[in-house]
Structures are given as structure tokens and as C-alpha cells.
Amino acid sequence: MIEISVILPIFNEAPHLNELYTELRAHLLELKSSFEIILVSDGSTDGSNELIRQIASNDDSVIGVILSRNFGHQAALMAGIEKSQGGYVITMDADFQHPVSEIHRMIQAANDGVDIVNMVRVGKAQGGSFKQLASIFFYRTMNRMGEVKIEAAAADFRLMNRKAVDAFLSLKEKDRFTRGLVSWIGFNQISLEYIAAPRKSGNTKYPFRKMLSFAGSGFFSFSSKPLRIAFYLGILISLLGVIYSIYAITQYFLGNTIPGWTSLMIVMLLLGGIQLLSLGIIGEYIARIFNEVKNRPVYHVQDEYQKDS
Ligand code: UDP
Ligand code: MG
């Protein structure tokens, strides 16, 4: 029986991987519980895979999972969670930003009967002010529109007990926006604060492009309000159209021939813009439906390393 599973998604984290593993292992040994460490390489190309193979071949508490390409952080988390066997499952970043020293507090909370412990960053986040502003804007909008509430400083640094993990895995969607899904399943959740450390080495593996697609998953998978907004916009513009038509017809019968270029341009551009916007919104949902319907797996495992004990 394994008590604690710790899952680390790894995308090119080779320079500090050994150090992280050593620190994590030392910390887990102090807890005097049985544990497993699941290292999930999400298509790393910098030698992380080889390191993972070495670590796993020397330590039977380590499982190395090598995905066949870069499927994204959320998919890597899913791969680790599906592999895990522990009564408590902890996910954390592999760049030292989530301090291993917080693990005992998380476990204490779980021992006190909490099902899910969400770690929430305090203090300044890393990654520049633009990234922060974008993130604040996203969570505000999301919390206003969506069916789940997510704290703006939430991270994928969290503990779930087996009951919560089973519920989480029972959600079958392919588009895994973990923090939204975790919020959706409910259970007894608490938030604990932690101070994020700076990234140990290398750059963020979340460039703006990945952040946008992450935000898109959160937004469109957890709210259908954008569709309604498109509908309301349609009603509003139609109403304005009717009013303007009445004006135009009156002018016609009064014999006023208006030059009309400006008004025509405005109407054309406005209508065109709103139609494209609405189509785009519908398109987002159709693309997501298409993705779900294809029913492809969330990730593919290429290699798995585990020392036979
Ligand atoms: N990560 C991943 N696949 C990706 C991007 C990131 O597995 O496509 C991992 C990465 O190795 C790290 C965690 O997800 O362990 C969080 O990424 P990062 O620290 O770069 O994000 P940030 O903290 O800058 O938001
Ligand atoms: Mg990080």
C-alpha cells in the first residue's frame, strides 16, 4: 500500500532534475510514510528522459513515464495521476517554484479530513507584469462567467485524496483544465498559502501561446455564456437595425436623398465585425466538440521505467 504519490510534470528540466529529486526524496523519507515519485516527461528533448531513466533504475520508489511527445502540462499531470496508486496524490512543478517543504502541511490538512488541498501563491508571481495582468484579467472574467470558481493565484500544486482522484478521473473530457475540473468535483477543499520560489534554471515552459490556449480551455470548457453574449449582441444590433431602417424609409418618403457613404460604411463594418465575432465564438465551441468527439487519448506513453523490486 502506497500512502503518498508525488507527480512531477517535466518539460526540459534537466539542469536541476537530480537536485529536485534528491531534495524531494529526502523530504518524503522524513515523513515516514510509504511513497512513490512519478516523473512524467512531457516530450523533453534536453536529456531529462535519460536522467529520469537513470533515477528510476536506481530507486524503486520512482516511476518514470516518458510521453511520446509534448502533450502539454495538463496532459502530463493527467498521465501521472492515472499512474498513481497513493492514498494521497500530490502534483507539483518540477522547477523548485513549489517548495517541497510545504508537503508536510498539505498532508497534515489531509489527515485532518480535507479531501483536496489547493496551494495558493502569495506575494508577487514570476513572469513579468504582462503575464500577471493577463492572468488576473482571465480569472476575473472566468469567475464571473464560468460555473466554477478558481483563485487567481492558484497553481497546479495540490493534494487530492484517493476519493477526490477517483472523482477527478471519472470526468472523461479530453481537454484537461485541471484546476477547473478539480473545482467542479467539489468535496471538502481548502486553500493553503505558500511563497513561490523563483524558477531554478531555464525559462518558463509556458510561453504566451501556451498560456492563451490554456486560458481558452478554461474559458470555453467551463462556460457557455459567450454563446449567449453573441445572441444578445445579435438582438441588440437587430433592434438598432430596425430603428435605423425606419429612419431611412422616412427620409426616403420625405424626398431626402442622403449621400450615405459614412453610414453605409459604419453599418457594414459593424455588422461584419459582429458576425465574424459570433462565428468565431461558435467556432471555438465546435472545435472543442470536434476534439471531444474524436475521443483520442489525452497522451501517449512511449516508455516507462520502473525498477523491479
Ligand atoms: N510543463 C510540462 N509541459 C509543458 C509545459 C510545462 O510538463 O508543455 C511542466 C514544466 O516542466 C513545469 C510545470 O509544467 O514542471 C510548470 O511549467 P513552468 O514552470 O514553465 O510554468 P510557470 O511556472 O512559468 O507558469
Ligand atoms: Mg514554474
Side-chain angles (χ1 to χ4, degrees):
M1 249 312 277
I2 293 165
E3 287 161 276
I4 304 166
S5 302
V6 178
I7 295 161
L8 301 174
I10 294 158
F11 181 46
N12 296 340
E13 308 281 10
H16 49 249
L17 194 56
N18 263 318
E19 193 182 342
L20 179 62
Y21 156 72
T22 313
E23 193 173 308
L24 177 63
R25 182 184 149 81
H27 196 80
L28 290 171
L29 282 172
E30 271 173 33
L31 296 174
K32 308 227 178 311
S33 307
S34 56
F35 63 85
E36 62 180 359
I37 298 173
I38 304 179
L39 304 174
V40 184
S41 170
D42 183 22
S44 301
T45 51
D46 69 339
S48 297
N49 294 1
E50 177 54 23
L51 281 176
I52 291 172
R53 194 188 63 75
Q54 281 168 15
I55 294 171
S57 64
N58 289 320
D59 180 349
D60 58 14
S61 57
V62 173
I63 301 175
V65 178
I66 312 293
L67 303 186
S68 58
R69 64 167 170 86
N70 180 247
F71 285 93
H73 179 202
Q74 305 294 304
L77 285 176
M78 174 82 170
I81 294 173
E82 284 194 317
K83 187 79 208 159
S84 72
Q85 293 190 299
Y88 294 154
V89 174
I90 296 171
T91 53
M92 58 196 297
D93 286 0
D95 59 357
F96 280 87
Q97 286 198 284
H98 299 162
V100 295
S101 54
E102 297 290 343
I103 290 178
H104 76 272
R105 278 173 71 211
M106 301 164 82
I107 288 179
Q108 217 160 41
N111 284 339
D112 290 343
V114 176
D115 299 305
I116 299 173
V117 183
N118 292 305
M119 300 304 282
V120 177
R121 185 181 61 230
V122 285
K124 251 177 110 73
Q126 291 239 312
S129 49
F130 177 68
K131 202 169 160 172
Q132 275 173 55
L133 266 183
S135 151
I136 290 170
F137 171 75
F138 165 67
Y139 284 109
R140 278 233 179 109
T141 326
M142 165 116 191
N143 284 332
R144 195 158 302 160
M145 289 210 168
E147 43 181 277
V148 295
K149 296 275 169 267
I150 299 169
E151 287 186 64
D156 284 311
F157 185 18
R158 140 180 342 102
L159 179 152
M160 293 195 261
N161 65 15
R162 191 39 60 181
K163 216 168 40 168
V165 166
D166 288 342
F168 173 78
L169 291 178
S170 76
L171 305 181
K172 291 297 176 208
E173 56 228 82
K174 306 295 168 186
D175 193 1
R176 308 299 295 187
F177 184 70
T178 310
R179 53 196 73 170
L181 297 173
V182 168
S183 166
W184 189 89
I185 58 175
F187 289 95
N188 191 358
Q189 309 202 9
I190 58 159
S191 298
L192 292 184
E193 295 186 332
Y194 75 98
I195 296 169
R199 172 174 256 285
K200 190 77 170 186
S201 68
N203 288 325
T204 176
K205 307 299 184 283
Y206 261 100
F208 191 63
R209 176 181 52 81
K210 274 190 187 167
M211 263 180 80
L212 262 188
S213 113
F214 180 66
S217 293
F219 197 62
F220 293 108
S221 305
F222 285 91
S223 172
S224 49
K225 283 214 180 118
L227 285 172
R228 208 159 304 142
I229 290 174
F231 176 61
Y232 291 147
L233 257 178
I235 292 182
L236 181 73
I237 297 298
S238 306
L239 264 179
L240 291 176
V242 168
I243 293 168
Y244 194 78
S245 305
I246 292 172
Y247 167 77
I249 292 168
T250 329
Q251 290 300 313
Y252 173 76
F253 282 116
L254 290 177
N256 296 337
T257 40
I258 319 160
W261 182 77
T262 314
S263 49
L264 259 184
M265 281 309 278
I266 292 174
V267 167
M268 213 175 76
L269 292 175
L270 204 70
L271 270 184
I274 287 172
Q275 281 168 2
L276 284 180
L277 179 82
S278 307
L279 269 181
I281 292 174
I282 297 169
E284 272 297 329
Y285 287 95
I286 294 180
R288 274 156 219 287
I289 296 169
F290 180 49
N291 247 340
E292 296 297 328
V293 167
K294 279 185 290 186
N295 205 22
R296 290 187 185 156
V298 177
Y299 57 86
H300 248 298
V301 176
Q302 175 180 314
D303 281 311
E304 221 175 284
Y305 305 121
Q306 189 167 12
K307 191 180 172 196
D308 336 285
S309 42

